[in-house]
Amino acid sequence: MTRFIPPAAVAASLLLTAFSACELTPAEMFEPELNVHCLLVAEHDTAAALVDRTYAIDDPYIVDFRGASVAVWTREDTWEFRELGNSWYKEYRFAPPVPHDTYGIRVTHPDFDTVAGSTIVPDTFSLLHPRPGDTIDQNDSLVWSRSRSCLGYYMSMEQATRRDTFFYTIVIPNESIPGWPYDSLTERVPLVFLQYREEGPCTLRLCALDQNYFDWMSGSGQGLGSVSNSMNAGITGGVGVFGAAVQREVAVYYRSDTSSSIQSRRKSDPLSGLIVKPPTSRRLPSGSEPVLSPCASPSATGRVSPGPALARR
């Protein structure tokens, strides 16, 4: 007996066969590329870059990625970074970056496309309050003069206890914040997150960020900046970021204010509601020396993703 097969079924079968023949495995579709993370800090005579590659989900992670060449330059000088191991490249005789100077970077590796990028060092600024050695509480604010050319700020709090070192971080745009009076000369952020910390000495740090690093940190969901899903900032030919910053810090002593008026003051502060939440703290063993430098760890997808800019030296 002859069976009739509808033309539509024949067409569907042919399409399915064609797609099956052309289908690529995830390993065949994925093309690894260099992952570069470099932040230049004004007035610092060392510079470092973390260079790795991207990974497919089933790729083994390479703890010590080697074989790259890293060069950073201005119009006057060029520095070839030394390979240190564990994917780090560093220059110990780096001429301290100066605000408004332009820097370029080129990272090469025999197995990958060349990564190139540029950044402009933002303008300097000063911390106005608190002063070194001041005793503060959660009703105080960090106040600073604005950096004229930066896109935003990366603020962090570091507190060392007998057991651990805790960090709190947030990204703040260099513009008017909804619900908060704008001052063209100064900017301030209430330190309401300190209520979750124990009393004792702590260090408040603030970095004025260039366009590249502000976009990168904002995209990681660390604060009040605009969110971007870009895999790179300031570079081409790979993923990662090449940025510049000006850093200031102040050592103070935190003592909690337990007066009954805290809650009423907090409710009248429009910005407090945006950041009054338990800090997402990172812990480092006591005795570790935190520095402003890139830190990377494998993500759930197998790619390497930079974390907060505080890492051990």
Side-chain angles (χ1 to χ4, degrees), residues 6-19:
V10 175
S13 177
L14 291 174
L15 281 174
L16 182 60
T17 302
F19 280 131

mmCIF file of all heavy atoms in Angstrom, residues 6-19:
data_model
loop_
_atom_site.group_PDB
_atom_site.id
_atom_site.type_symbol
_atom_site.label_atom_id
_atom_site.label_comp_id
_atom_site.label_asym_id
_atom_site.label_seq_id
_atom_site.Cartn_x
_atom_site.Cartn_y
_atom_site.Cartn_z
ATOM 1 N N PRO A 6 2.791 14.282 3.269
ATOM 2 C CA PRO A 6 2.543 15.686 2.922
ATOM 3 C C PRO A 6 3.843 16.398 2.565
ATOM 4 O O PRO A 6 4.893 16.149 3.164
ATOM 5 C CB PRO A 6 1.936 16.272 4.206
ATOM 6 C CG PRO A 6 1.415 15.091 4.957
ATOM 7 C CD PRO A 6 2.317 13.955 4.606
ATOM 8 N N PRO A 7 3.810 17.288 1.571
ATOM 9 C CA PRO A 7 5.015 18.042 1.184
ATOM 10 C C PRO A 7 5.634 18.815 2.337
ATOM 11 O O PRO A 7 6.853 18.950 2.421
ATOM 12 C CB PRO A 7 4.501 18.988 0.086
ATOM 13 C CG PRO A 7 3.286 18.304 -0.447
ATOM 14 C CD PRO A 7 2.666 17.584 0.709
ATOM 15 N N ALA A 8 4.795 19.336 3.232
ATOM 16 C CA ALA A 8 5.318 20.106 4.357
ATOM 17 C C ALA A 8 6.200 19.248 5.250
ATOM 18 O O ALA A 8 7.228 19.688 5.770
ATOM 19 C CB ALA A 8 4.166 20.703 5.166
ATOM 20 N N ALA A 9 5.801 17.983 5.456
ATOM 21 C CA ALA A 9 6.593 17.087 6.291
ATOM 22 C C ALA A 9 7.936 16.790 5.644
ATOM 23 O O ALA A 9 8.968 16.673 6.314
ATOM 24 C CB ALA A 9 5.825 15.795 6.544
ATOM 25 N N VAL A 10 7.938 16.632 4.299
ATOM 26 C CA VAL A 10 9.192 16.388 3.584
ATOM 27 C C VAL A 10 10.141 17.571 3.752
ATOM 28 O O VAL A 10 11.346 17.415 4.014
ATOM 29 C CB VAL A 10 8.912 16.122 2.094
ATOM 30 C CG1 VAL A 10 10.224 15.986 1.333
ATOM 31 C CG2 VAL A 10 8.075 14.862 1.935
ATOM 32 N N ALA A 11 9.600 18.792 3.587
ATOM 33 C CA ALA A 11 10.428 19.993 3.726
ATOM 34 C C ALA A 11 11.004 20.112 5.124
ATOM 35 O O ALA A 11 12.181 20.451 5.310
ATOM 36 C CB ALA A 11 9.604 21.242 3.384
ATOM 37 N N ALA A 12 10.182 19.830 6.136
ATOM 38 C CA ALA A 12 10.658 19.919 7.519
ATOM 39 C C ALA A 12 11.762 18.919 7.774
ATOM 40 O O ALA A 12 12.744 19.204 8.459
ATOM 41 C CB ALA A 12 9.487 19.697 8.482
ATOM 42 N N SER A 13 11.607 17.708 7.200
ATOM 43 C CA SER A 13 12.629 16.680 7.391
ATOM 44 C C SER A 13 13.952 17.086 6.747
ATOM 45 O O SER A 13 15.029 16.894 7.308
ATOM 46 C CB SER A 13 12.146 15.358 6.797
ATOM 47 O OG SER A 13 13.141 14.370 6.918
ATOM 48 N N LEU A 14 13.885 17.675 5.545
ATOM 49 C CA LEU A 14 15.095 18.115 4.868
ATOM 50 C C LEU A 14 15.799 19.241 5.625
ATOM 51 O O LEU A 14 17.023 19.272 5.737
ATOM 52 C CB LEU A 14 14.758 18.577 3.450
ATOM 53 C CG LEU A 14 14.315 17.463 2.479
ATOM 54 C CD1 LEU A 14 13.878 18.079 1.147
ATOM 55 C CD2 LEU A 14 15.448 16.464 2.260
ATOM 56 N N LEU A 15 15.000 20.182 6.169
ATOM 57 C CA LEU A 15 15.588 21.276 6.941
ATOM 58 C C LEU A 15 16.271 20.757 8.195
ATOM 59 O O LEU A 15 17.367 21.188 8.563
ATOM 60 C CB LEU A 15 14.499 22.287 7.324
ATOM 61 C CG LEU A 15 14.077 23.260 6.221
ATOM 62 C CD1 LEU A 15 12.899 24.096 6.693
ATOM 63 C CD2 LEU A 15 15.239 24.166 5.823
ATOM 64 N N LEU A 16 15.637 19.813 8.880
ATOM 65 C CA LEU A 16 16.208 19.233 10.086
ATOM 66 C C LEU A 16 17.530 18.538 9.784
ATOM 67 O O LEU A 16 18.505 18.657 10.521
ATOM 68 C CB LEU A 16 15.214 18.251 10.714
ATOM 69 C CG LEU A 16 15.664 17.599 12.035
ATOM 70 C CD1 LEU A 16 15.915 18.660 13.090
ATOM 71 C CD2 LEU A 16 14.604 16.609 12.502
ATOM 72 N N THR A 17 17.555 17.814 8.641
ATOM 73 C CA THR A 17 18.787 17.130 8.252
ATOM 74 C C THR A 17 19.902 18.125 7.948
ATOM 75 O O THR A 17 21.063 17.931 8.339
ATOM 76 C CB THR A 17 18.534 16.260 7.009
ATOM 77 O OG1 THR A 17 17.497 15.316 7.306
ATOM 78 C CG2 THR A 17 19.797 15.520 6.597
ATOM 79 N N ALA A 18 19.550 19.232 7.285
ATOM 80 C CA ALA A 18 20.550 20.243 6.940
ATOM 81 C C ALA A 18 21.114 20.908 8.182
ATOM 82 O O ALA A 18 22.325 21.105 8.322
ATOM 83 C CB ALA A 18 19.929 21.292 6.013
ATOM 84 N N PHE A 19 20.211 21.260 9.132
ATOM 85 C CA PHE A 19 20.668 21.897 10.360
ATOM 86 C C PHE A 19 21.547 20.951 11.173
ATOM 87 O O PHE A 19 22.537 21.358 11.778
ATOM 88 C CB PHE A 19 19.478 22.358 11.204
ATOM 89 C CG PHE A 19 18.887 23.646 10.723
ATOM 90 C CD1 PHE A 19 17.520 23.759 10.533
ATOM 91 C CD2 PHE A 19 19.687 24.747 10.446
ATOM 92 C CE1 PHE A 19 16.972 24.942 10.090
ATOM 93 C CE2 PHE A 19 19.140 25.935 10.001
ATOM 94 C CZ PHE A 19 17.782 26.037 9.818
#
